[in-house]
Amino acid sequence: MLLRIDHVGIACHDLEEKIEFYESTFGLTVVSREINEEQGVREAMLHVADGAQGASYVQLMEPLHPDTVVGKFLAKRGEGVHHIGYGVADVAKALEEVGAKGVRLIDERPRHGSMGASIAFLHPKDVGGVLTELVQTARH
Amino acid sequence: MLLRIDHVGIACHDLEEKIEFYESTFGLTVVSREINEEQGVREAMLHVADGAQGASYVQLMEPLHPDTVVGKFLAKRGEGVHHIGYGVADVAKALEEVGAKGVRLIDERPRHGSMGASIAFLHPKDVGGVLTELVQTARH
């Protein structure tokens, strides 16, 4: 079901500072910047690698307000890995399969993610403490 | 410098239970099991994807004892993402470059990692709260 590690989602206090760090330290390149009001984040996708089944990214996220999911995460745990996104061919089908195994779904239906992708989150309590995102890349 | 997301390192209480979960829920396959006495973990690598620059894995880790790095992590934070490993061509060279940028190195020199790789960890305080591992795959 999982085609690739699509991205590592990292929560930070200062998006521009962290972009500069990942660019200058590791040579990554920003390929997309977005504000996602629904998720309450300002974010950037930094390209790591291409693969037969799609690319991999580091996703840096800064909360728009303290009273958002990522804002609360930062207040509780500090900066660090917030979630892991895995590529799937068909996110609606994957959700159905995963849900049928008894994993609770945060999103019962796919919603809009970064760079036009269709995404859905699985409940971390049912995935060993890992907030897990399924990502179906937008077709161009 | 970073060629790929090599692996997501996930700390868990029960390795066999989590392997079974990742296999049955997501269709991943175990490609390696090891006990790493130095790191104090029993671990498994589950294959996610192949890429031009190497493969990507989910690494599941169960501490051998509570008084280990991963054991203490579990006691403090519970199960979840412990570190992120990125592939590099030459880990010694990458360490030198990253160290020169002012990032503190947990490992001044590469050491033995999973599946014969040469690895080194960077200090999470200098990488935005992310325990970051550099991985040079073993040549076969």
Side-chain angles (χ1 to χ4, degrees):
Chain A
M1 176 191 297
L2 306 184
L3 301 179
R4 68 188 180 281
I5 302 173
D6 183 86
H7 65 272
V8 177
I10 296 171
C12 64
H13 292 295
D14 184 333
L15 181 63
E16 295 308 320
E17 180 204 66
K18 277 299 178 302
I19 288 173
E20 206 284 317
F21 172 80
Y22 271 87
E23 286 182 335
S24 66
T25 308
F26 297 125
L28 300 188
T29 307
V30 173
V31 291
S32 168
R33 287 172 188 260
E34 289 181 46
I35 289 175
N36 188 322
E37 295 280 356
E38 186 192 355
Q39 292 184 34
V41 294
R42 176 182 294 114
E43 57 156 81
M45 297 294 270
L46 287 79
H47 180 265
V48 180
D50 289 312
Q53 301 291 345
S56 295
Y57 305 91
V58 167
Q59 179 184 43
L60 300 174
M61 301 177 295
E62 176 192 322
L64 294 173
H65 313 287
D67 190 27
T68 56
V69 171
V70 175
K72 289 173 190 166
F73 175 91
L74 283 174
K76 188 176 173 193
R77 310 198 55 161
E79 293 189 322
V81 177
H82 177 260
H83 68 269
I84 304 295
Y86 296 100
V88 296
D90 182 330
V91 67
K93 185 158 168 275
L95 270 185
E96 198 174 311
E97 286 179 28
V98 169
K101 307 271 186 184
V103 174
R104 279 167 291 178
L105 312 176
I106 292 178
D107 301 303
E108 294 284 342
R109 289 190 189 80
R111 58 184 162 112
H112 173 74
S114 307
M115 301 192 293
S118 291
I119 63 151
F121 283 95
L122 311 179
H123 203 296
K125 285 200 177 154
D126 288 346
V127 192
V130 180
L131 177 57
T132 300
E133 180 182 348
L134 303 177
V135 181
Q136 178 183 344
T137 304
R139 299 286 166 222
H140 295 291
Chain B
M1 177 191 296
L2 306 184
L3 301 179
R4 67 188 181 282
I5 301 173
D6 183 86
H7 65 273
V8 178
I10 297 171
C12 65
H13 291 296
D14 185 332
L15 180 64
E16 295 308 320
E17 180 203 70
K18 278 299 177 304
I19 287 172
E20 206 285 317
F21 172 80
Y22 272 87
E23 286 182 335
S24 67
T25 308
F26 297 124
L28 300 189
T29 307
V30 173
V31 291
S32 168
R33 287 171 188 261
E34 290 182 45
I35 290 176
N36 187 324
E37 295 280 357
E38 186 192 355
Q39 291 183 33
V41 293
R42 176 181 294 113
E43 56 155 81
M45 297 293 272
L46 287 80
H47 181 263
V48 180
D50 290 313
Q53 302 292 344
S56 293
Y57 305 90
V58 167
Q59 179 184 42
L60 300 173
M61 300 176 296
E62 176 192 323
L64 294 173
H65 314 287
D67 189 27
T68 56
V69 171
V70 174
K72 289 173 191 166
F73 175 91
L74 283 173
K76 187 176 173 191
R77 311 197 55 160
E79 292 188 323
V81 177
H82 176 261
H83 69 269
I84 304 295
Y86 296 99
V88 295
D90 182 332
V91 67
K93 185 158 168 274
L95 269 185
E96 197 174 312
E97 287 179 28
V98 169
K101 307 271 186 185
V103 173
R104 278 167 292 177
L105 313 176
I106 292 177
D107 300 304
E108 294 282 342
R109 290 190 189 81
R111 58 184 164 115
H112 173 74
S114 305
M115 301 192 293
S118 292
I119 64 150
F121 283 94
L122 311 179
H123 202 296
K125 285 202 177 154
D126 288 345
V127 192
V130 180
L131 177 56
T132 300
E133 180 182 350
L134 304 177
V135 182
Q136 178 184 344
T137 305
R139 299 285 165 222
H140 296 291

